[in-house]
Amino acid sequence: MIAWARTWLFRILFYGASVPIVLSAPLSARIGRDAMHAHAHVWIRLHRFLARWILGVRVRVQGTRPPGTYLFAVKHQAMFETLEMAELIDGPLIVMKRELIDMPFWGRTARAYGAIGVDRDASSRALRVMLKEAAVARTEGRSVLIFPEGTRVAVGESPALRSGFAGLYKALNMAVVPVALDSGHCMPRRGSSRAGVITIRFLDPIPPGLPREEIEARVHAAINVLEPAAGGAAPA
């Protein structure tokens, strides 16, 4: 009961505060990219603050984010890392489901920040559109953030990478930084949230230009190193 009470209090406060933040985002977008990023990071820090002081969720970062521009391939278990990684990477272009970008108002805000839409069907046309949008990363000198498994998964699940990841890796010709995490222990997709420590681990960069089978295998293994089946440590 206490866990559910904390979960609902967190949701009421976070989503309630999110409404004016998201509605006012277009005003920041008109000023410029820096203003838009600063606006978004207010939202991100609000989420972090509420998670820490209401849910009792703390963050432990292992490894170091390398300097420069990379394709960051991140494990996805909760909404938590969608926001937290944007802060840790400092304003990357984010690959997300196109249905989110097509949402009224929110979609325009996401695009102003820097979102790349990808369709679930992964058709050749959908992939071409995604790659065209991602090419902006080269011209703007920004990193790209992708959740290569495609959607949030439960703790212990490690599905194959979606085909869009390999296409993006090849088109951008960027080194990949895999990021493992275990947010699902504290903030599962279903059920109440629990107090604890979320580990975010930056792995060593993987060079560009590798064959599809090799890059997919290496990234898949790296982002799942904290999973129980891979011998990852249980959360503290």
Side-chain angles (χ1 to χ4, degrees):
M1 287 295 294
I2 294 177
W4 271 114
R6 288 180 174 178
T7 299
W8 278 108
L9 179 60
F10 169 81
R11 291 174 180 174
I12 291 169
L13 292 177
F14 175 67
Y15 290 110
S18 295
V19 172
I21 291 175
V22 173
L23 290 177
S24 60
L27 299 177
S28 295
R30 289 190 176 188
I31 298 173
R33 186 199 303 169
D34 290 344
M36 182 63 200
H37 285 185
H39 189 109
H41 287 197
V42 169
W43 190 42
I44 294 167
R45 288 163 190 158
L46 169 69
H47 183 268
R48 182 189 297 172
F49 177 84
L50 295 176
R52 173 69 182 92
W53 296 108
I54 294 179
L55 300 178
V57 173
R58 292 176 287 122
V59 180
R60 171 175 55 201
V61 179
Q62 298 177 339
T64 303
R65 190 200 89 182
T69 303
Y70 292 89
L71 174 59
F72 288 86
V74 184
K75 184 72 180 178
H76 197 13
Q77 293 183 340
M79 178 184 173
F80 179 85
E81 55 268 11
T82 307
L83 299 175
E84 193 69 21
M85 292 307 302
E87 176 84 359
L88 292 175
I89 300 174
D90 192 23
L93 288 166
I94 303 175
V95 179
M96 62 177 63
K97 293 179 289 188
R98 187 164 296 279
E99 49 261 46
L100 293 177
I101 294 179
D102 290 341
M103 290 174 60
F105 204 88
W106 159 252
R108 181 196 282 170
T109 302
R111 286 192 178 279
Y113 178 84
I116 303 168
V118 58
D119 292 321
R120 285 182 179 273
D121 61 12
S123 66
S124 57
R125 179 182 177 277
L127 293 176
R128 285 196 303 271
V129 172
M130 181 189 71
L131 296 177
K132 181 179 179 181
E133 293 180 349
V136 176
R138 279 296 188 198
T139 61
E140 295 185 351
R142 296 170 68 181
S143 291
V144 177
L145 168 62
I146 186 172
F147 300 106
E149 291 174 335
T151 190
R152 288 177 292 173
V153 298
V155 173
E157 293 183 355
S158 52
L161 307 190
R162 295 292 182 92
S163 59
F165 167 74
L168 193 61
Y169 167 76
K170 181 178 180 180
L172 293 176
N173 195 35
M174 286 181 174
V176 179
V177 175
V179 182
L181 50 82
D182 58 2
S183 58
H185 289 287
C186 295
M187 304 178 78
R189 186 173 184 177
R190 296 180 178 85
S192 62
S193 297
R194 297 181 288 273
V197 178
I198 293 176
T199 297
I200 298 175
R201 183 181 299 176
F202 287 90
L203 286 301
D204 292 336
I206 301 173
L210 298 179
R212 175 173 178 172
E213 294 77 10
E214 181 176 354
I215 187 59
E216 288 186 338
R218 290 179 63 173
V219 168
H220 187 269
I223 67 173
N224 285 293
V225 295
L226 296 179
E227 291 302 298

